[in-house]
Amino acid sequence: RINEYEVHTEQHEQRQMTPSIGDSMAKGLNLGPKVHVVARGGARIEDILREVVRWQTDKAVQSVALIVGTNDITSDCTAQQMVWAYSHLLKTVKMRFPSAEIICFNILPRADLSMSLRNKLVRANMLLQDCVIHEFRGCTWVLCWRYFLENCGCCPRRDVLGSDGLHLNRLGKGIIGDALWYHFRHHKASRVR
């Protein structure tokens, strides 16, 4: 009888998942067996939106982690236009997975940005944080920005980026993984209370 219960529990758990959806910054993240990473190199927020709409699964989606926006920084859109696109993405994710918790990571820095693009990145992150916190109740904003910057506060740390200066290396991916793990642990503990 205990074995039957354990098998049932295992099968139930396997039918639940957490997709981590994003641009190439999400690629190669090892976030555990229940986290399905969907990473599209070169994708902008609008591309990820189309991915969310097309995505099919027969598993219950408990949480969705979004790691997007890095490629939008170098595009012609303004920080405000990025926030509009991100807001549209969040509305779509909430409609698509109504019972899922949505975890939004700040846009990660990259080494190839000029000072004006770094300013755009900072502005976009400030606006996104405000948007997620005030307009999307139930969504979580994960601010891990400071772990990716040098002490000066504006230059990206080279030791968390790959040799291309754009993608995360093992240490950078570990920071994202730790932030997500901490969030799930903290969230689970707060639900138990």
Side-chain angles (χ1 to χ4, degrees), residues 117-145:
L117 289 178
R118 287 182 192 169
N119 290 337
K120 178 181 172 182
L121 177 61
V122 170
R123 173 103 173 110
N125 274 325
M126 289 171 47
L127 292 170
L128 284 171
Q129 178 177 334
D130 188 58
C131 175
V132 170
I133 291 172
H134 295 98
E135 295 178 33
F136 289 94
R137 287 204 159 319
C139 293
T140 302
W141 178 255
V142 178
L143 182 63
C144 55
W145 174 258

mmCIF file of all heavy atoms in Angstrom, residues 117-145:
data_model
loop_
_atom_site.group_PDB
_atom_site.id
_atom_site.type_symbol
_atom_site.label_atom_id
_atom_site.label_comp_id
_atom_site.label_asym_id
_atom_site.label_seq_id
_atom_site.Cartn_x
_atom_site.Cartn_y
_atom_site.Cartn_z
ATOM 1 N N LEU A 117 23.283 52.359 -24.358
ATOM 2 C CA LEU A 117 22.502 51.125 -24.265
ATOM 3 C C LEU A 117 22.483 50.588 -22.826
ATOM 4 O O LEU A 117 21.490 50.006 -22.402
ATOM 5 C CB LEU A 117 23.037 50.070 -25.224
ATOM 6 C CG LEU A 117 22.768 50.344 -26.705
ATOM 7 C CD1 LEU A 117 23.382 49.266 -27.584
ATOM 8 C CD2 LEU A 117 21.273 50.479 -26.984
ATOM 9 N N ARG A 118 23.560 50.812 -22.081
ATOM 10 C CA ARG A 118 23.541 50.433 -20.654
ATOM 11 C C ARG A 118 22.497 51.258 -19.914
ATOM 12 O O ARG A 118 21.775 50.738 -19.062
ATOM 13 C CB ARG A 118 24.916 50.643 -20.016
ATOM 14 C CG ARG A 118 25.934 49.621 -20.431
ATOM 15 C CD ARG A 118 27.252 49.845 -19.740
ATOM 16 N NE ARG A 118 28.274 49.039 -20.369
ATOM 17 C CZ ARG A 118 29.554 49.171 -20.141
ATOM 18 N NH1 ARG A 118 29.995 50.077 -19.291
ATOM 19 N NH2 ARG A 118 30.415 48.403 -20.753
ATOM 20 N N ASN A 119 22.408 52.539 -20.245
ATOM 21 C CA ASN A 119 21.389 53.396 -19.626
ATOM 22 C C ASN A 119 19.984 52.916 -19.997
ATOM 23 O O ASN A 119 19.080 52.922 -19.163
ATOM 24 C CB ASN A 119 21.582 54.851 -20.040
ATOM 25 C CG ASN A 119 22.823 55.456 -19.414
ATOM 26 O OD1 ASN A 119 23.307 55.000 -18.379
ATOM 27 N ND2 ASN A 119 23.361 56.482 -20.048
ATOM 28 N N LYS A 120 19.810 52.505 -21.250
ATOM 29 C CA LYS A 120 18.521 51.962 -21.687
ATOM 30 C C LYS A 120 18.189 50.695 -20.904
ATOM 31 O O LYS A 120 17.036 50.492 -20.485
ATOM 32 C CB LYS A 120 18.577 51.672 -23.189
ATOM 33 C CG LYS A 120 17.319 51.065 -23.766
ATOM 34 C CD LYS A 120 17.514 50.805 -25.265
ATOM 35 C CE LYS A 120 16.398 50.042 -25.889
ATOM 36 N NZ LYS A 120 16.635 49.760 -27.314
ATOM 37 N N LEU A 121 19.178 49.857 -20.678
ATOM 38 C CA LEU A 121 18.989 48.622 -19.917
ATOM 39 C C LEU A 121 18.563 48.922 -18.478
ATOM 40 O O LEU A 121 17.624 48.317 -17.956
ATOM 41 C CB LEU A 121 20.279 47.799 -19.940
ATOM 42 C CG LEU A 121 20.317 46.495 -19.147
ATOM 43 C CD1 LEU A 121 19.264 45.524 -19.652
ATOM 44 C CD2 LEU A 121 21.696 45.872 -19.248
ATOM 45 N N VAL A 122 19.230 49.863 -17.842
ATOM 46 C CA VAL A 122 18.879 50.240 -16.466
ATOM 47 C C VAL A 122 17.455 50.791 -16.426
ATOM 48 O O VAL A 122 16.650 50.413 -15.569
ATOM 49 C CB VAL A 122 19.898 51.268 -15.905
ATOM 50 C CG1 VAL A 122 19.413 51.856 -14.594
ATOM 51 C CG2 VAL A 122 21.267 50.620 -15.732
ATOM 52 N N ARG A 123 17.139 51.675 -17.370
ATOM 53 C CA ARG A 123 15.796 52.268 -17.427
ATOM 54 C C ARG A 123 14.734 51.197 -17.659
ATOM 55 O O ARG A 123 13.694 51.184 -17.001
ATOM 56 C CB ARG A 123 15.746 53.319 -18.545
ATOM 57 C CG ARG A 123 14.383 53.883 -18.811
ATOM 58 C CD ARG A 123 14.236 55.259 -18.228
ATOM 59 N NE ARG A 123 12.975 55.849 -18.635
ATOM 60 C CZ ARG A 123 11.972 56.055 -17.795
ATOM 61 N NH1 ARG A 123 12.105 55.764 -16.538
ATOM 62 N NH2 ARG A 123 10.855 56.587 -18.217
ATOM 63 N N ALA A 124 15.000 50.283 -18.590
ATOM 64 C CA ALA A 124 14.041 49.204 -18.878
ATOM 65 C C ALA A 124 13.821 48.337 -17.639
ATOM 66 O O ALA A 124 12.673 47.992 -17.321
ATOM 67 C CB ALA A 124 14.536 48.356 -20.047
ATOM 68 N N ASN A 125 14.880 47.999 -16.938
ATOM 69 C CA ASN A 125 14.729 47.183 -15.731
ATOM 70 C C ASN A 125 13.939 47.905 -14.641
ATOM 71 O O ASN A 125 13.114 47.297 -13.953
ATOM 72 C CB ASN A 125 16.088 46.729 -15.195
ATOM 73 C CG ASN A 125 16.568 45.455 -15.846
ATOM 74 O OD1 ASN A 125 15.778 44.581 -16.176
ATOM 75 N ND2 ASN A 125 17.867 45.350 -16.047
ATOM 76 N N MET A 126 14.166 49.193 -14.491
ATOM 77 C CA MET A 126 13.399 49.967 -13.493
ATOM 78 C C MET A 126 11.916 49.992 -13.855
ATOM 79 O O MET A 126 11.054 49.781 -12.997
ATOM 80 C CB MET A 126 13.960 51.389 -13.389
ATOM 81 C CG MET A 126 15.312 51.461 -12.716
ATOM 82 S SD MET A 126 16.124 53.095 -12.793
ATOM 83 C CE MET A 126 14.833 54.211 -12.335
ATOM 84 N N LEU A 127 11.616 50.235 -15.131
ATOM 85 C CA LEU A 127 10.224 50.265 -15.578
ATOM 86 C C LEU A 127 9.572 48.884 -15.486
ATOM 87 O O LEU A 127 8.402 48.772 -15.091
ATOM 88 C CB LEU A 127 10.149 50.784 -17.015
ATOM 89 C CG LEU A 127 10.502 52.259 -17.228
ATOM 90 C CD1 LEU A 127 10.632 52.576 -18.716
ATOM 91 C CD2 LEU A 127 9.469 53.159 -16.568
ATOM 92 N N LEU A 128 10.326 47.847 -15.839
ATOM 93 C CA LEU A 128 9.795 46.486 -15.759
ATOM 94 C C LEU A 128 9.502 46.093 -14.322
ATOM 95 O O LEU A 128 8.477 45.479 -14.032
ATOM 96 C CB LEU A 128 10.767 45.484 -16.389
ATOM 97 C CG LEU A 128 10.802 45.445 -17.903
ATOM 98 C CD1 LEU A 128 11.943 44.577 -18.391
ATOM 99 C CD2 LEU A 128 9.469 44.950 -18.453
ATOM 100 N N GLN A 129 10.404 46.433 -13.430
ATOM 101 C CA GLN A 129 10.195 46.114 -12.020
ATOM 102 C C GLN A 129 8.898 46.771 -11.529
ATOM 103 O O GLN A 129 8.065 46.132 -10.889
ATOM 104 C CB GLN A 129 11.372 46.587 -11.178
ATOM 105 C CG GLN A 129 11.185 46.330 -9.695
ATOM 106 C CD GLN A 129 12.404 46.738 -8.891
ATOM 107 O OE1 GLN A 129 13.527 46.760 -9.390
ATOM 108 N NE2 GLN A 129 12.187 47.049 -7.636
ATOM 109 N N ASP A 130 8.723 48.034 -11.850
ATOM 110 C CA ASP A 130 7.521 48.754 -11.452
ATOM 111 C C ASP A 130 6.276 48.109 -12.065
ATOM 112 O O ASP A 130 5.257 47.924 -11.388
ATOM 113 C CB ASP A 130 7.643 50.222 -11.879
ATOM 114 C CG ASP A 130 6.517 51.063 -11.334
ATOM 115 O OD1 ASP A 130 6.351 51.099 -10.093
ATOM 116 O OD2 ASP A 130 5.800 51.676 -12.139
ATOM 117 N N CYS A 131 6.343 47.750 -13.329
ATOM 118 C CA CYS A 131 5.229 47.125 -14.034
ATOM 119 C C CYS A 131 4.854 45.791 -13.399
ATOM 120 O O CYS A 131 3.687 45.543 -13.100
ATOM 121 C CB CYS A 131 5.601 46.930 -15.500
ATOM 122 S SG CYS A 131 4.384 46.035 -16.469
ATOM 123 N N VAL A 132 5.834 44.920 -13.178
ATOM 124 C CA VAL A 132 5.557 43.589 -12.629
ATOM 125 C C VAL A 132 4.997 43.692 -11.212
ATOM 126 O O VAL A 132 4.002 43.047 -10.874
ATOM 127 C CB VAL A 132 6.828 42.705 -12.660
ATOM 128 C CG1 VAL A 132 6.625 41.415 -11.880
ATOM 129 C CG2 VAL A 132 7.221 42.396 -14.101
ATOM 130 N N ILE A 133 5.587 44.527 -10.386
ATOM 131 C CA ILE A 133 5.171 44.629 -8.985
ATOM 132 C C ILE A 133 3.791 45.270 -8.851
ATOM 133 O O ILE A 133 2.964 44.815 -8.068
ATOM 134 C CB ILE A 133 6.224 45.402 -8.164
ATOM 135 C CG1 ILE A 133 7.489 44.552 -8.038
ATOM 136 C CG2 ILE A 133 5.687 45.784 -6.792
ATOM 137 C CD1 ILE A 133 8.667 45.272 -7.423
ATOM 138 N N HIS A 134 3.521 46.327 -9.623
ATOM 139 C CA HIS A 134 2.280 47.070 -9.434
ATOM 140 C C HIS A 134 1.120 46.662 -10.338
ATOM 141 O O HIS A 134 -0.032 46.864 -9.978
ATOM 142 C CB HIS A 134 2.550 48.572 -9.574
ATOM 143 C CG HIS A 134 3.438 49.086 -8.495
ATOM 144 N ND1 HIS A 134 4.791 49.264 -8.687
ATOM 145 C CD2 HIS A 134 3.194 49.407 -7.212
ATOM 146 C CE1 HIS A 134 5.339 49.698 -7.559
ATOM 147 N NE2 HIS A 134 4.387 49.795 -6.649
ATOM 148 N N GLU A 135 1.420 46.123 -11.494
ATOM 149 C CA GLU A 135 0.344 45.806 -12.429
ATOM 150 C C GLU A 135 0.032 44.313 -12.537
ATOM 151 O O GLU A 135 -1.009 43.943 -13.066
ATOM 152 C CB GLU A 135 0.671 46.358 -13.818
ATOM 153 C CG GLU A 135 0.726 47.871 -13.860
ATOM 154 C CD GLU A 135 1.093 48.401 -15.221
ATOM 155 O OE1 GLU A 135 0.723 47.759 -16.234
ATOM 156 O OE2 GLU A 135 1.745 49.454 -15.291
ATOM 157 N N PHE A 136 0.930 43.470 -12.068
ATOM 158 C CA PHE A 136 0.736 42.026 -12.213
ATOM 159 C C PHE A 136 0.828 41.337 -10.860
ATOM 160 O O PHE A 136 1.805 40.673 -10.548
ATOM 161 C CB PHE A 136 1.757 41.441 -13.198
ATOM 162 C CG PHE A 136 1.494 41.839 -14.609
ATOM 163 C CD1 PHE A 136 2.124 42.946 -15.148
ATOM 164 C CD2 PHE A 136 0.590 41.136 -15.384
ATOM 165 C CE1 PHE A 136 1.865 43.336 -16.456
ATOM 166 C CE2 PHE A 136 0.328 41.524 -16.696
ATOM 167 C CZ PHE A 136 0.974 42.623 -17.224
ATOM 168 N N ARG A 137 -0.209 41.500 -10.079
ATOM 169 C CA ARG A 137 -0.248 40.854 -8.772
ATOM 170 C C ARG A 137 -0.112 39.349 -8.942
ATOM 171 O O ARG A 137 -0.682 38.765 -9.845
ATOM 172 C CB ARG A 137 -1.542 41.178 -8.072
ATOM 173 C CG ARG A 137 -1.605 42.604 -7.573
ATOM 174 C CD ARG A 137 -2.582 42.633 -6.455
ATOM 175 N NE ARG A 137 -2.642 43.629 -5.462
ATOM 176 C CZ ARG A 137 -1.667 44.231 -4.817
ATOM 177 N NH1 ARG A 137 -0.440 43.990 -5.132
ATOM 178 N NH2 ARG A 137 -1.896 45.095 -3.866
ATOM 179 N N GLY A 138 0.656 38.749 -8.065
ATOM 180 C CA GLY A 138 0.874 37.314 -8.147
ATOM 181 C C GLY A 138 2.118 36.944 -8.943
ATOM 182 O O GLY A 138 2.571 35.812 -8.882
ATOM 183 N N CYS A 139 2.655 37.888 -9.699
ATOM 184 C CA CYS A 139 3.913 37.654 -10.411
ATOM 185 C C CYS A 139 5.062 38.054 -9.485
ATOM 186 O O CYS A 139 4.904 38.929 -8.639
ATOM 187 C CB CYS A 139 3.992 38.468 -11.686
ATOM 188 S SG CYS A 139 2.804 37.971 -12.935
ATOM 189 N N THR A 140 6.179 37.418 -9.656
ATOM 190 C CA THR A 140 7.338 37.701 -8.828
ATOM 191 C C THR A 140 8.445 38.304 -9.676
ATOM 192 O O THR A 140 8.771 37.779 -10.739
ATOM 193 C CB THR A 140 7.860 36.403 -8.167
ATOM 194 O OG1 THR A 140 6.800 35.836 -7.391
ATOM 195 C CG2 THR A 140 9.051 36.664 -7.282
ATOM 196 N N TRP A 141 9.019 39.394 -9.201
ATOM 197 C CA TRP A 141 10.149 40.046 -9.867
ATOM 198 C C TRP A 141 11.418 39.608 -9.152
ATOM 199 O O TRP A 141 11.566 39.819 -7.955
ATOM 200 C CB TRP A 141 9.986 41.559 -9.802
ATOM 201 C CG TRP A 141 11.123 42.317 -10.405
ATOM 202 C CD1 TRP A 141 12.108 42.981 -9.741
ATOM 203 C CD2 TRP A 141 11.411 42.483 -11.797
ATOM 204 N NE1 TRP A 141 12.975 43.567 -10.635
ATOM 205 C CE2 TRP A 141 12.571 43.273 -11.910
ATOM 206 C CE3 TRP A 141 10.785 42.046 -12.969
ATOM 207 C CZ2 TRP A 141 13.118 43.631 -13.127
ATOM 208 C CZ3 TRP A 141 11.340 42.401 -14.183
ATOM 209 C CH2 TRP A 141 12.490 43.182 -14.255
ATOM 210 N N VAL A 142 12.322 38.958 -9.867
ATOM 211 C CA VAL A 142 13.587 38.515 -9.290
ATOM 212 C C VAL A 142 14.679 39.468 -9.758
ATOM 213 O O VAL A 142 15.033 39.489 -10.935
ATOM 214 C CB VAL A 142 13.926 37.055 -9.691
ATOM 215 C CG1 VAL A 142 15.261 36.642 -9.111
ATOM 216 C CG2 VAL A 142 12.822 36.115 -9.242
ATOM 217 N N LEU A 143 15.169 40.245 -8.838
ATOM 218 C CA LEU A 143 16.207 41.223 -9.141
ATOM 219 C C LEU A 143 17.566 40.624 -8.784
ATOM 220 O O LEU A 143 17.956 40.590 -7.628
ATOM 221 C CB LEU A 143 15.962 42.509 -8.348
ATOM 222 C CG LEU A 143 16.932 43.643 -8.601
ATOM 223 C CD1 LEU A 143 16.846 44.109 -10.047
ATOM 224 C CD2 LEU A 143 16.637 44.797 -7.664
ATOM 225 N N CYS A 144 18.248 40.104 -9.790
ATOM 226 C CA CYS A 144 19.575 39.534 -9.562
ATOM 227 C C CYS A 144 20.632 40.359 -10.295
ATOM 228 O O CYS A 144 21.755 39.926 -10.507
ATOM 229 C CB CYS A 144 19.613 38.073 -9.983
ATOM 230 S SG CYS A 144 19.105 37.770 -11.672
ATOM 231 N N TRP A 145 20.254 41.563 -10.680
ATOM 232 C CA TRP A 145 21.083 42.488 -11.448
ATOM 233 C C TRP A 145 22.452 42.684 -10.824
ATOM 234 O O TRP A 145 23.470 42.603 -11.490
ATOM 235 C CB TRP A 145 20.313 43.807 -11.535
ATOM 236 C CG TRP A 145 21.018 44.959 -12.153
ATOM 237 C CD1 TRP A 145 21.600 45.989 -11.505
ATOM 238 C CD2 TRP A 145 21.210 45.200 -13.534
ATOM 239 N NE1 TRP A 145 22.137 46.878 -12.407
ATOM 240 C CE2 TRP A 145 21.912 46.410 -13.658
ATOM 241 C CE3 TRP A 145 20.861 44.523 -14.693
ATOM 242 C CZ2 TRP A 145 22.257 46.939 -14.884
ATOM 243 C CZ3 TRP A 145 21.210 45.056 -15.906
ATOM 244 C CH2 TRP A 145 21.901 46.250 -15.998
#
